[in-house]
Amino acid sequence: MNHKNYEYLKEQLLYSGFGNGLEDSLKDNLQRQPEGFQLLFQTGMGKGRIRAELNFSRSSQSDMYFFNSYRLEIVPQGTEQRRAQLFYVNGRDRYTLKEAYNLMHGRSVFKELSNRQGDRYEAWVQLDLKTMDINGNHRFRQFHKNYGFDLQSELDRYPIRELEMPDRRQDLIDALQLGNRQPVTMELEKGETRLYLQANPQFKVLNVYDENGIRQEFLGPEKGMDLTMEKTDRKKLSTGELSEAKKKIHGRKRGLGG
């Protein structure tokens, strides 16, 4: 067995998000020296479970092995759909387990990528979960910088306490670029409120959710402006009633009463 190769692959598994629970299986396969092999990874993530098949191949010119890709499957929980997708860890574009998990839940990830000529560039990446190719994989969509979504400018529209602290601000940006639905504290008229943000570069906005996962609508860019009614309340109103309700809310924000 090539011990340097083993140590390298062990670190690659760790930094790709698969931890160190596969080390014994990895060593066993490297000692047997097959042409290629797979390792099975399972764990809980979020409110459900995931399963991944990790693909390794042997070099045609040496005893080195390469961790090439993994097929990630979301195990259904309740009404959640079963999904599977192949992600690469060698080559031009590499995805960690956390990034892959977020992509498979319809979220966007900010990545440094490369084109066929090897030139590097940055873009937001999202899976098109409505379509699949002949291999059963979803197509990747990209939103480049010139598309017009500016995460930092969008964050500054909101009264987020974490933005007042430089280290917490960067942590928030990093988490959103990873594709996380990230908790924040907003200073609203009703007081400090725990909410969750998710980057949505396709529509050049941040999605805002409450603790129950219900999406909220923010009224405006000014500090201190509150959230609108939750969806469950909005559905009870007719179009005219909803318009009138919004006028009253805006009136209160301007100190007009009502």
Side-chain angles (χ1 to χ4, degrees):
M1 182 183 75
N2 187 321
H3 290 280
K4 286 185 178 181
N5 188 207
Y6 167 69
E7 292 296 330
Y8 174 78
L9 291 174
K10 188 170 67 171
E11 282 194 15
Q12 194 175 19
L13 287 174
L14 180 64
Y15 289 113
S16 295
F18 294 99
N20 52 19
L22 299 175
E23 293 179 6
D24 290 343
S25 297
L26 174 64
K27 181 181 290 187
D28 179 62
N29 278 280
L30 293 181
Q31 289 174 336
R32 293 191 294 106
Q33 296 189 343
E35 290 299 313
F37 61 91
Q38 290 183 326
L39 298 181
L40 180 62
F41 175 86
Q42 299 185 78
T43 189
M45 187 172 282
K47 295 181 180 180
R49 295 193 62 79
I50 60 173
R51 179 179 183 273
E53 292 181 351
L54 287 61
N55 303 309
F56 296 78
S57 64
R58 182 176 177 174
S59 169
S60 61
Q61 300 175 344
S62 69
D63 62 350
M64 295 278 290
Y65 283 84
F66 301 97
F67 176 25
N68 298 312
S69 63
Y70 60 94
R71 187 165 186 82
L72 181 64
E73 181 180 18
I74 302 295
V75 180
Q77 295 289 320
T79 59
E80 188 177 22
Q81 267 189 323
R82 180 180 292 272
R83 291 184 182 135
Q85 179 79 15
L86 184 68
F87 294 93
Y88 292 95
V89 291
N90 275 327
R92 296 200 312 266
D93 307 330
R94 308 175 185 185
Y95 293 90
T96 66
L97 179 61
K98 182 60 174 174
E99 290 171 337
Y101 174 84
N102 284 335
L103 286 169
M104 291 184 68
H105 281 80
R107 303 170 192 167
S108 299
V109 174
F110 188 73
K111 294 286 291 180
E112 183 182 81
L113 306 169
S114 62
N115 57 27
R116 293 181 179 179
Q117 291 73 39
D119 299 322
R120 304 298 290 178
Y121 65 94
E122 294 179 333
W124 288 90
V125 179
Q126 187 180 44
L127 285 180
D128 182 355
L129 298 178
K130 295 181 179 180
T131 61
M132 288 189 296
D133 61 22
I134 59 175
N135 297 313
N137 292 307
H138 297 281
R139 183 173 62 89
F140 284 89
R141 306 180 66 188
Q142 294 185 11
F143 304 96
H144 299 249
K145 282 187 174 181
N146 57 8
Y147 184 77
F149 176 64
D150 188 326
L151 175 59
Q152 297 206 42
S153 296
E154 190 65 22
L155 281 170
D156 288 334
R157 296 182 62 246
Y158 297 85
I160 301 171
R161 171 182 281 190
E162 287 80 1
L163 297 180
E164 300 171 3
M165 298 165 276
D167 56 335
R168 298 287 298 278
R169 179 187 182 93
Q170 190 57 51
D171 288 344
L172 174 57
I173 291 172
D174 292 343
L176 291 171
Q177 289 181 337
L178 188 63
N180 291 347
R181 181 176 290 184
Q182 192 67 12
V184 297
T185 303
M186 286 200 195
E187 297 178 358
L188 305 177
E189 289 190 348
K190 62 182 179 180
E192 292 185 355
T193 305
R194 190 72 160 176
L195 294 164
Y196 295 81
L197 298 181
Q198 178 181 316
N200 187 348
Q202 180 181 2
F203 295 102
K204 306 174 186 177
V205 298
L206 287 170
N207 293 350
V208 183
Y209 301 88
D210 67 10
E211 292 185 343
N212 298 314
I214 299 175
R215 186 171 174 181
Q216 307 290 296
E217 182 181 351
F218 201 67
L219 287 176
E222 290 81 6
K223 298 289 184 180
M225 293 187 73
D226 223 327
L227 300 172
T228 63
M229 295 164 288
E230 294 181 358
K231 284 185 176 180
T232 51
D233 295 325
R234 291 162 60 88
K235 288 178 180 178
K236 297 177 184 177
L237 301 177
S238 66
T239 303
E241 291 171 329
L242 180 57
S243 177
E244 187 63 29
K246 285 187 174 182
K247 288 180 182 178
K248 290 182 179 180
I249 293 173
H250 281 286
R252 287 199 296 270
K253 303 302 182 283
R254 294 192 298 266
L256 301 181

